[in-house]
Amino acid sequence: MDKSKIPADQAEALGALMDDHRAVKKLFKAFKDTGDRHEKKSIALEVCQQLTVHATIEEEIFYPALRGVGDDIDDMLDEAQVEHQVAKDLIAAIEEDPAGDMLEANFTVLSEYVSHHIEEEEGELFKHAIKAKVNLRDVAAAMAARKEELMQQTA
């Protein structure tokens, strides 16, 4: 999705979520590109932290702001919640044993799963929110404040 084509009252919120998506995708690539086991562990833990914060913001603020706008959006939100739970399970497995033999497998599945989730979110959910003209200005401010709070807690 091209951020320059997002309407002004949605640009900050959707843009922030897209920025998170891009940051995690770069880390997925960095993990894949390195052969250093210590670096893989470090990248994996960074991704887990970023995804946990991102999912929390979406679940607490962004998704509720879209809930009830339309049946199609509600269906997408239901699916996203299930996808988040699967990602949380994989994150828990990685965080439980980041130096373990299953790191590569768990991280690979997490990256594939999250990449699919990002495609659906940006390709479907965001487009439906734009089409429904949902005003996300207040949502953007709440998301930014919550992200800052969560990042301080995990620092």
Side-chain angles (χ1 to χ4, degrees), residues 92-109:
I94 291 166
E95 289 179 334
E96 188 175 298
D97 190 15
D101 293 338
M102 293 300 289
L103 174 63
E104 193 88 31
N106 283 324
F107 193 84
T108 298
V109 173

Side-chain angles (χ1 to χ4, degrees), residues 63-127:
Y63 292 170
L66 297 179
R67 184 67 70 183
V69 170
D71 290 342
D72 52 350
I73 290 177
D74 285 348
D75 290 344
M76 286 181 246
L77 294 173
D78 292 343
E79 186 177 327
Q81 294 279 97
V82 173
E83 289 173 350
H84 277 201
Q85 187 55 56
V86 173
K88 287 177 188 177
D89 293 344
L90 289 164
I91 288 167
I94 291 166
E95 289 179 334
E96 188 175 298
D97 190 15
D101 293 338
M102 293 300 289
L103 174 63
E104 193 88 31
N106 283 324
F107 193 84
T108 298
V109 173
L110 179 66
S111 67
E112 291 170 353
Y113 208 79
V114 169
S115 293
H116 168 78
H117 176 75
I118 289 169
E119 284 179 35
E120 285 191 340
E121 203 165 71
E122 291 184 12
E124 297 174 30
L125 181 61
F126 290 6
K127 287 182 179 178

